[in-house]
Amino acid sequence: MAIAHRKFVSAVVLLTAAALAGCSAQPGTAAVINGTKITEGELDDATLEFGDLTGQPPQPSVVLNTLLAAEVFPSIAAEHGLALSDQQVTQRLEEQAVLQGAEVPVDGYSPAFIDLGHYLFSATDAQAHPEAAAIFQEFTTAMGEADIEVNPRYGQVEDSGEIVPSQHDWLVTPDAG
């Protein structure tokens, strides 16, 4: 009986580890979108820099959603004449830092944070574009069709391509009473 119980526990541990590994074929991976890997380090850099810029630390899953969008939206924006260079994004990030009273990193912004800026600034510019509705519809379709794999620690990918926090049935919130 004890041996059968140990085998069951071992099987559960192995299955749980496999499920939590998610992007296990690529250790250190936060997500993969259409074959492009977003590493844990890139996510950490972008999360820290976003927090430094805004003064409010964001949830990593929110930043990861933005980094995923940054892999899709800028090419769509470019098709509509809204392309931004890395230099333009950096300049706009520096302008935002001045407005927010934040420090500009001495070594410059990380490539991941510049990617995040590409999405944020392109999306902002697209809102004023005469074809804004078509641009965002194209983006929504592209995100829904994207091949996205996310490390389960950040949540699950919905059909829309958005990451939502995982709900774990075994976690119970104690009653307030």
Side-chain angles (χ1 to χ4, degrees):
M1 183 72 157
I3 292 174
H5 178 69
R6 270 189 251 143
K7 285 183 180 179
F8 174 75
V9 169
S10 295
V12 169
V13 168
L14 287 174
L15 288 172
T16 303
L20 292 176
C23 302
S24 62
Q26 302 175 32
T29 300
V32 177
I33 180 167
N34 297 332
T36 300
K37 181 167 103 172
I38 298 170
T39 68
E40 295 272 347
E42 291 166 332
L43 176 58
D44 290 344
D45 289 345
T47 302
L48 289 171
E49 288 172 299
F50 191 84
D52 290 346
L53 181 66
T54 63
Q56 300 175 349
Q59 292 292 325
S61 60
V62 172
V63 175
L64 186 55
N65 264 322
T66 307
L67 289 171
L68 291 169
E71 290 296 324
V72 175
F73 192 81
S75 63
I76 294 168
E79 292 172 8
H80 296 275
L82 298 169
L84 296 170
S85 69
D86 286 353
Q87 183 179 6
Q88 289 171 309
V89 169
T90 300
Q91 181 180 355
R92 288 174 78 170
L93 288 170
E94 289 171 354
E95 290 168 0
Q96 287 296 313
V98 169
L99 289 172
Q100 298 289 335
E103 302 256 342
V104 174
V106 175
D107 295 332
Y109 294 106
S110 70
F113 194 57
I114 291 171
D115 285 347
L116 185 140
H118 273 283
Y119 167 69
L120 294 176
F121 295 128
S122 293
T124 299
D125 294 348
Q127 291 174 356
H129 194 278
E131 297 175 11
I135 293 169
F136 286 105
Q137 181 57 50
E138 188 177 341
F139 169 65
T140 300
T141 300
M143 285 300 292
E145 293 174 350
D147 180 19
I148 303 173
E149 182 182 349
V150 174
N151 185 319
R153 74 186 279 191
Y154 301 107
Q156 300 170 333
V157 180
E158 290 192 333
D159 291 340
S160 66
E162 184 177 351
I163 302 169
V164 294
S166 297
Q167 299 297 320
H168 302 290
D169 296 338
W170 66 86
L171 296 177
V172 179
T173 305
D175 291 334

